[in-house]
Amino acid sequence: MATVLEEPADLLKLVGQVVGTTGWMTITQHQVDLFAEATGDHQWIHTDPQRAANGPFKGTIAHGYLTLSLAPVMISEVMQIRELTAALNYGLNRVRFPTPVRVGARIRGVVMVLNAQQKTSGVEAVFTLTYEIEGGDRPACVADVIVLYP
């Protein structure tokens, strides 16, 4: 169930709190191939299942940036703001990819409000997203994602 806020300013009261955990989503080879096509990153560890089977990960893996790009979907799954003009991707403070995501793996996101400030341009929120891999001990990605709510 999503956390429902009336307006972006309500984020100021949630600093330091986990707002939710997404459902599991499976990373498919089709997603990886589409991402490779969109970005031009056709490295074999992502796009060549036969060659990757003999590589360091024993199969293809998702691009780290594909995993990271799921941030808006994850945030919107766990949090809804009723009075919302827009949610603008403003940047990143810190990103790490501790463990690769193998194609076919299921991941989910734990979303925490790290910081929120009222600015003249709107509410600037920093969410820490921890991307968990089902059955894994280490996260696939940990990122501090900045969103501006004008």
Side-chain angles (χ1 to χ4, degrees), residues 4-149:
V4 179
L5 306 176
E6 288 302 316
E7 60 184 359
D10 292 340
L11 286 163
L12 302 172
K13 301 176 218 162
L14 296 178
V15 172
Q17 295 182 38
V18 171
V19 292
T21 300
T22 70
W24 292 104
M25 56 185 79
T26 302
I27 300 299
T28 68
Q29 187 64 55
H30 182 67
Q31 284 175 298
V32 171
D33 292 342
L34 287 172
F35 192 85
E37 196 60 37
T39 62
D41 182 353
H42 296 279
Q43 189 177 167
W44 64 268
I45 62 172
H46 305 302
T47 61
D48 187 341
Q50 289 179 327
R51 184 174 176 192
N54 297 315
F57 306 110
K58 305 300 182 214
T60 51
I61 60 170
H63 302 75
Y65 289 121
L66 167 57
T67 305
L68 180 62
S69 74
L70 298 172
V73 171
M74 290 184 170
I75 293 170
S76 67
E77 182 178 326
V78 300
M79 186 186 74
Q80 296 173 2
I81 302 174
R82 288 193 174 126
E83 298 294 325
L84 181 64
T85 303
L88 306 174
N89 296 320
Y90 195 66
L92 302 159
N93 283 339
R94 177 180 149 297
V95 179
R96 297 291 181 268
F97 301 104
T99 305
V101 178
R102 293 194 53 183
V103 168
R106 293 187 347 144
I107 64 171
R108 69 179 178 184
V110 179
V111 181
M112 182 190 84
V113 180
L114 179 65
N115 192 10
Q117 296 179 6
Q118 182 67 57
K119 304 233 174 170
T120 55
S121 56
V123 174
E124 183 181 291
V126 181
F127 298 95
T128 296
L129 271 69
T130 303
Y131 299 71
E132 298 177 338
I133 304 171
E134 187 175 40
D137 295 336
R138 296 179 52 183
C141 178
V142 180
D144 291 342
V145 177
I146 308 166
V147 179
L148 180 62
Y149 299 95

